[in-house]
């Protein structure tokens, strides 16, 4: 069997977790080749990207199916100023909508029960979120069944 989707993340060896997204200028040829390879096997490809338009040049040439917004900064700043924390992500979403046809958005990293609803309301183009870590942590507090209900309620309202 093969996956329906792969998300390519530029983690260096020995990295415990993601800490930045792809620079589509610097890695254009590498990404273009690997995206094409996965797509030739009918696997949807998402590129993990930081919320910066500057790193998105060549995105059309690379031609992924999706990008996954690295939401660490959003989550970190959400409790202090949610309007300001969402701005770079809205800018990327607007850029993609205007400049890259048929590209869909995912989001992930530190999204949780507190900040997920806001990002989904502010950027309705987000199709999928990576919430596995938060889901497992919340399951210790609420139980797995209740936690899944809570996340489904948030995602079904958006």
């Amino acid at each position: 069997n093969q996956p329906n989707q792969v998300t390519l993340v530029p983690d260096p060896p020995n990295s415990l977790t993601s800490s930045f997204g792809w620079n589509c200028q610097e890695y254009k040829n590498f990404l273009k080749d690997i995206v094409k390879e996965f797509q030739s096997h009918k696997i949807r490809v998402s590129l993990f990207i930081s919320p910066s338009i500057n790193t998105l040049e060549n995105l059309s040439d690379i031609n992924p199916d999706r990008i996954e917004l690295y939401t660490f900064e959003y989550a970190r700043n959400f409790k202090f100023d949610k309007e300001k924390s969402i701005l770079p992500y809205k800018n990327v979403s607007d850029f993609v909508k205007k400049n890259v046809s048929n590209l869909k958005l995912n989001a992930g990293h530190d999204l949780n029960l507190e900040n997920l609803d806001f990002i989904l309301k502010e950027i309705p183009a987000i199709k999928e979120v990576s919430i596995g870590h938060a889901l497992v942590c919340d399951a210790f507090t609420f139980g797995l069944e209740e936690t899944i209900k809570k996340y489904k309620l948030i995602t079904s309202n958006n």
Side-chain angles (χ1 to χ4, degrees):
N1 285 343
Q2 64 186 33
N4 293 322
Q5 175 176 285
V6 296
T7 300
L8 304 177
V9 181
D11 286 347
N14 303 321
S15 183
L16 292 177
T17 188
S18 311
S19 57
F20 56 89
W22 286 104
N23 182 323
C24 295
Q25 294 171 315
E26 187 176 343
Y27 292 98
K28 174 186 171 184
N29 292 329
F30 169 75
L31 289 170
K32 188 175 179 179
D33 291 343
I34 196 77
V35 165
K36 189 182 291 184
E37 176 67 21
F38 279 115
Q39 289 172 337
S40 75
H41 296 283
K42 302 203 180 329
I43 299 171
R44 182 173 62 217
V45 180
S46 177
L47 299 181
F48 194 68
I49 59 120
S50 297
S52 169
I53 293 169
N54 296 336
T55 64
L56 297 181
E57 275 189 37
N58 303 319
L59 200 53
S60 292
D61 294 333
I62 296 168
N63 198 28
D65 303 290
R66 295 187 179 195
I67 57 172
E68 180 170 326
L69 301 169
Y70 172 49
T71 52
F72 170 77
E73 289 295 327
Y74 163 74
R76 187 175 75 156
N77 296 314
F78 177 80
K79 58 186 158 243
F80 304 111
D81 188 343
K82 62 184 180 180
E83 296 296 333
K84 187 176 178 183
S85 71
I86 197 77
L87 274 178
Y89 300 90
K90 287 173 114 174
N91 291 339
V92 167
S93 177
D94 292 343
F95 174 85
V96 166
K97 186 177 181 180
K98 290 177 188 164
N99 296 292
V100 189
S101 64
N102 299 323
L103 185 68
K104 302 217 177 349
L105 295 179
N106 293 347
H109 211 291
D110 296 331
L111 296 174
N112 58 38
L113 290 171
E114 293 176 21
N115 61 31
L116 182 59
D117 188 58
F118 186 74
I119 196 170
L120 293 177
K121 280 189 167 73
E122 292 293 310
I123 307 175
I126 294 174
K127 299 292 181 199
E128 187 176 296
V129 292
S130 297
I131 55 170
H133 183 261
L135 192 142
V136 169
C137 291
D138 290 333
F140 286 111
T141 303
F142 305 112
L144 185 57
E145 188 175 339
E146 186 62 26
T147 298
I148 291 171
K149 285 180 187 176
K150 288 176 180 285
Y151 279 102
K152 284 179 86 172
L153 182 62
I154 292 170
T155 58
S156 66
N157 286 335
N158 293 294

